[in-house]
Amino acid sequence: MLWVILVFANGTALLLFNQTLAGTLVNLTLPAPPLSAPLVYNNNTPVPALWNGDVLTVPVLGNALITVKYVPRAAASNGVISFNVTEGYYVIWAQGGVLLLPTLTILNYTADKNAVVVVAKGPGTVAYTLQGREIPQTAAPPASTTTRPMTANTTTATAATTAQPAAAQTAQQLRRCRRRSRPRRRNPLPPLPPPSRAPPQPLAQSRRWRYTSSPPRWPSLRLWAYALTRRRGERAELNETDRAVLEYVRRTGSVYEAEISRALGLPRTTVFKAVRRLEREGLVEVEKRDGRNFVKPR
């Protein structure tokens, strides 16, 4: 039996069973204790069922699509909601904002920004928490629970409570009048003096070209690196694929590009680019034969 566990962003969990069964009466073992009587549908039609503990007797009456829905009885502790499930296979779907903490055996899972789908095997505990939310705390009871009879002082206290906002409003208006009556002090800052700019120094007297009439011309670093690699006998543009293609061409003597791709297990595009690099380096020679590229070593 395969059950689907739906966990919504508001913390509600729903267990769903939807399979085709055959027979007259079928006993279904509920994987978790239900909070209330499960809802049973026979071919999308509500039907009555017998619920006895963790066993649900469903009327099938032949061959029909049976759907069972119910809310499990869960417990909350330290911001984590959990409930236990029996042995079986489960597909857990958690809406965005829900963090799953199951103790079941995870077989497969997939996730995106909207939901997480996990395929697991029981038995175990399905635990989850709501990201960015807190469980509301119960308000603390008052220090004294002794009831006092209402007296005439209640009227006086009510009048005093009603007069407090009016007094606060009057005090606020007085503070505003005082702020408006105070003269504003304006002390403008003196203007800043214009910055002194030294005359530009002639190029002939600058520190960099003091003893030369024109700047020296340095060769490009790229040309130096290319010359060094050429002197050492190294080829900077060859990679592992190029070396493998070159070795295969030299070993076979001459070969088509298609045969190189099949022999080395490389894509045709990769072999084409490698042969072009080897041709630029002068290591191989390419010619057309019957509309195909024939590669020979040099």
Side-chain angles (χ1 to χ4, degrees):
M1 298 294 180
L2 178 64
W3 285 82
V4 178
I5 302 175
L6 306 177
V7 182
F8 300 94
N10 59 357
T12 305
L14 180 67
L15 270 73
L16 175 64
F17 176 85
N18 189 22
Q19 293 185 22
T20 302
L21 302 179
T24 304
L25 297 176
V26 177
N27 294 328
L28 292 179
T29 302
L30 302 180
L35 185 62
S36 59
L39 300 178
V40 181
Y41 298 87
N42 188 322
N43 290 331
N44 298 327
T45 302
V47 295
L50 181 60
W51 173 35
N52 185 12
D54 59 347
V55 177
L56 184 67
T57 304
V58 180
V60 179
L61 305 177
N63 191 0
L65 176 64
I66 302 300
T67 304
V68 179
K69 302 178 183 179
Y70 74 93
V71 177
R73 186 179 302 161
S77 176
N78 297 329
V80 178
I81 306 173
S82 62
F83 58 91
N84 298 328
V85 293
T86 58
E87 185 176 358
Y89 291 91
Y90 302 92
V91 177
I92 306 175
W93 177 88
Q95 197 174 10
V98 177
L99 178 62
L100 285 176
L101 305 169
T103 61
L104 289 78
T105 303
I106 305 299
L107 302 180
N108 192 6
Y109 75 94
T110 180
D112 56 13
K113 61 180 180 180
N114 296 324
V116 176
V117 180
V118 178
V119 180
K121 180 182 179 181
T125 302
V126 178
Y128 58 93
T129 182
L130 307 181
Q131 300 180 3
R133 296 188 181 182
E134 297 181 358
I135 297 179
Q137 302 293 334
T138 306
S144 177
T145 58
T146 305
T147 58
R148 297 181 179 179
M150 296 182 64
T151 59
N153 295 332
T154 306
T155 307
T156 306
T158 305
T161 306
T162 308
Q164 285 181 0
Q169 186 177 4
T170 304
Q172 187 177 5
Q173 293 177 355
L174 290 175
R175 286 194 295 269
R176 290 179 180 177
C177 294
R178 291 176 182 175
R179 292 175 184 174
R180 294 175 182 175
S181 61
R182 293 177 183 175
R184 295 183 180 181
R185 298 180 180 179
R186 297 181 180 180
N187 296 325
L189 297 177
L192 297 176
S196 59
R197 298 182 179 179
Q201 190 177 4
L203 182 62
Q205 298 180 3
S206 63
R207 182 178 301 176
R208 187 173 181 180
W209 317 118
R210 181 175 299 177
Y211 303 104
T212 58
S213 58
S214 61
R217 297 181 180 179
W218 302 98
S220 175
L221 294 178
R222 185 178 299 177
L223 295 178
W224 281 5
Y226 181 78
L228 290 176
T229 54
R230 287 295 184 180
R231 291 178 182 177
R232 296 176 183 175
E234 299 178 356
R235 303 195 177 271
E237 297 183 357
L238 297 184
N239 52 28
E240 295 182 0
T241 305
D242 300 342
R243 296 190 184 95
V245 172
L246 178 61
E247 182 181 357
Y248 183 78
V249 172
R250 289 178 176 176
R251 186 169 65 250
T252 56
S254 57
V255 67
Y256 287 98
E257 285 186 359
E259 297 179 4
I260 299 175
S261 176
R262 288 194 298 269
L264 300 181
L266 298 174
R268 298 284 292 274
T269 307
T270 304
V271 174
F272 177 81
K273 294 179 180 180
V275 170
R276 293 303 171 273
R277 287 192 292 268
L278 295 175
E279 185 181 10
R280 288 196 302 267
E281 294 294 333
L283 299 175
V284 297
E285 182 179 356
V286 182
E287 63 181 25
K288 287 287 185 177
R289 290 188 180 182
D290 298 332
R292 296 189 300 171
N293 294 330
F294 191 75
V295 186
K296 299 186 296 182
R298 284 189 177 180

